[in-house]
Amino acid sequence: MNNVRDLIPAGTRRIDLLAPPFAGHLHPILALACVLRAHYQVRVISTESMLPRIRAAGLEAHELLAGQEQALLAIANPQYAVGNHPLRLYRQFRAALALLADFRSELDALYRQSAPDLAIADFTLPIVGCVAQDRGVRWWTSLPSPCVLETPDGPPAYFGGLFPARTRWQQSRHALARYKLRLFKKTIFALFRRPIQALGMKQLYRDDGSESAYSAECILALGDPALEFPRRWPSAVKFIGPALYTPHYDLPAPPFKCGQRHVLVTLGTHLAWHKQPTINALAQLAATLPEWQFHFTWGDPETQGTAPVQANLVCLAWIDYERDLEHYDVVIHHGGAGIMYYCLRHDIPALIYPVDYDQFDHAARIEAAGKGIWLRGGLSALRDARPLLEQLVS
């Protein structure tokens, strides 16, 4: 990822990096900021709860959307799976528009007073591009999950984890899926045309067919191109490798037991609605492997204490991937980009249990690369996953 410096335009002195208050989006931004701060004046912009995390990384922090973070969290982390359900996506987008208007107003006011030379925004914040262009600021997109980018060929994202086409029938299916995805986006844009255009987004797609939600100058693809399925990437895409970062908290190490296998189970910081059912299923799985130790992490350092569920299943508030991940034999995870690339870094086999969003697409890529197994079948499959775990460590 150090090669990101090679892309920075000459004469750049000040860089802003912007992300919403979710680990899977903020942490890659913090990783980028830590690389860039040695050579540029760097400022990281997010919401209130993330300011301590930003400052703990030794970075300048700036807050937007004061007092509105809980509303944002409720939109992004609902108590159900969103998937590609049209009505749920519609409701989620509608709820986000009002917050985006406030975000745009506050960022515009900030850039009238203190504009950087370059703004690098997480891909979920396309409104940054509207403000940056109005204020004469260069704008780049940070993309932790390159698979979500629309391309003229290859399997599109958000259709349950499609693999590369091997037959004409599969090619036709992929083409239809790409058409359906674009049609859905165009429908949403048409339904909300006035509020979207009021934010500054005049069109959904540029004349060359690229998505206006992403920078036309540079899209920093924070992944390994060898893991991605073959496709024709837009010229703006620059692969710079995974951007991995884990905040350090003064929490004790997990209770590792000498001579036993250890399994980490994580659903990241989203999917709150699914975590307790997952723990219940894990209890049944752990009972079939009494000689193995299972650690489930809530992904929240504010959770109090260590809670044993049974003899070989413990719930932990937070796992420090930099410190602790290498001690695990297997990781069961949801297919988030961060934990996916951490497992690849440490060569730890993974059982991928995708639940929502682009997680199924990541599961397909890991399975195709031979770096893990995609667990299909939901909670019932998780309860009966003993043979798969034994296969991964054999």
Side-chain angles (χ1 to χ4, degrees):
M1 193 184 62
N2 287 327
N3 60 342
V4 67
R5 279 196 57 224
D6 298 335
L7 302 174
I8 303 297
T12 300
R13 293 179 300 172
R14 299 179 58 202
I15 301 176
D16 276 358
L17 298 102
L18 304 93
F22 315 120
H25 299 267
L26 177 67
H27 290 178
I29 285 291
L30 292 181
L32 284 170
C34 287
V35 169
L36 294 172
R37 67 181 172 188
H39 306 277
Y40 307 96
Q41 183 181 341
V42 171
R43 176 172 61 181
V44 178
I45 299 174
S46 190
T47 55
E48 180 181 10
S49 69
M50 295 297 105
L51 301 187
R53 195 172 296 189
I54 296 167
R55 290 169 180 149
L59 299 162
E60 179 185 349
H62 185 86
E63 176 188 1
L64 291 181
L65 293 180
Q68 299 188 72
E69 186 173 69
Q70 289 307 311
L72 176 60
L73 294 172
I75 294 169
N77 195 14
Q79 295 303 307
Y80 49 79
V82 175
N84 58 6
H85 191 286
L87 184 57
R88 290 177 177 175
L89 285 166
Y90 172 88
R91 289 172 176 169
Q92 189 178 50
F93 189 76
R94 182 180 61 184
L97 281 175
L99 283 178
L100 285 174
D102 290 341
F103 180 90
R104 189 198 197 291
S105 177
E106 292 183 26
L107 184 63
D108 187 67
L110 175 65
Y111 280 6
R112 282 200 305 268
Q113 298 176 356
S114 176
D117 301 304
L118 171 65
I120 302 176
D122 179 77
F123 74 107
T124 59
L125 297 176
I127 198 65
V128 173
C130 301
V131 177
Q133 290 168 8
D134 286 349
R135 297 295 160 198
V137 175
R138 303 182 87 138
W139 160 56
W140 291 1
T141 298
S142 167
L143 186 59
S145 301
C147 64
V148 306
L149 194 65
E150 285 190 50
T151 55
D153 57 0
Y158 304 124
F159 285 91
L162 298 175
F163 288 86
R166 298 184 181 277
T167 66
R168 288 186 177 180
W169 166 244
Q170 290 173 339
Q171 290 175 350
S172 298
R173 281 189 61 204
H174 289 182
L176 178 60
R178 290 193 298 271
Y179 172 79
K180 289 170 64 177
L181 179 62
R182 183 161 286 216
L183 178 62
F184 174 75
K185 291 181 179 180
K186 287 182 176 180
T187 300
I188 291 294
F189 189 84
L191 289 171
F192 294 102
R193 179 176 298 275
R194 287 186 179 179
I196 291 175
Q197 290 186 338
L199 293 172
M201 294 186 65
K202 304 304 181 184
Q203 58 183 356
L204 185 61
Y205 295 98
R206 301 184 184 94
D207 293 340
D208 63 359
S210 63
E211 298 175 85
S212 62
Y214 302 99
S215 169
E217 180 180 346
C218 183
I219 301 172
L220 296 175
L222 309 180
D224 182 352
L227 188 67
E228 292 297 326
F229 294 148
R231 58 174 63 188
R232 286 177 288 164
W233 298 99
S235 59
V237 171
K238 310 296 181 185
F239 277 90
I240 62 171
L244 300 179
Y245 178 87
T246 297
H248 176 72
Y249 296 97
D250 190 19
L251 296 172
F256 295 111
K257 295 188 177 181
C258 185
Q260 295 193 347
R261 294 195 181 278
H262 292 82
V263 180
L264 172 64
V265 185
T266 175
L267 295 182
T269 55
H270 280 44
L271 307 176
W273 59 275
H274 198 64
K275 291 186 178 181
Q276 189 58 55
T278 298
I279 292 171
N280 297 339
L282 282 174
Q284 297 180 55
L285 171 61
T288 69
L289 289 163
E291 70 280 11
W292 291 39
Q293 295 295 317
F294 291 79
H295 297 168
F296 178 86
T297 172
W298 288 101
D300 180 5
E302 301 300 323
T303 302
Q304 297 298 314
T306 299
V309 178
Q310 57 196 48
N312 65 334
L313 173 58
V314 176
C315 291
L316 304 167
W318 179 266
I319 294 292
D320 187 329
Y321 292 160
E322 295 288 349
R323 183 189 66 183
D324 302 323
L325 192 65
E326 64 182 355
H327 301 295
Y328 288 97
D329 299 281
V330 177
V331 175
I332 300 175
H333 67 77
H334 59 305
I339 184 61
M340 176 179 74
Y341 275 112
Y342 264 114
C343 288
L344 290 172
R345 172 194 279 185
H346 292 286
D347 198 24
I348 300 174
L351 186 62
I352 305 100
Y353 173 49
V355 180
D356 208 350
Y357 304 110
D358 55 2
Q359 298 159 14
F360 298 90
D361 302 292
H362 289 153
R365 283 155 175 77
I366 289 297
E367 187 167 84
K371 298 297 184 179
I373 298 174
W374 178 354
L375 181 67
R376 298 167 174 86
L379 291 171
S380 60
L382 183 60
R383 287 191 288 268
D384 299 326
R386 173 175 176 168
L388 296 179
L389 291 177
E390 292 176 332
Q391 178 183 338
L392 285 170
V393 299
S394 63

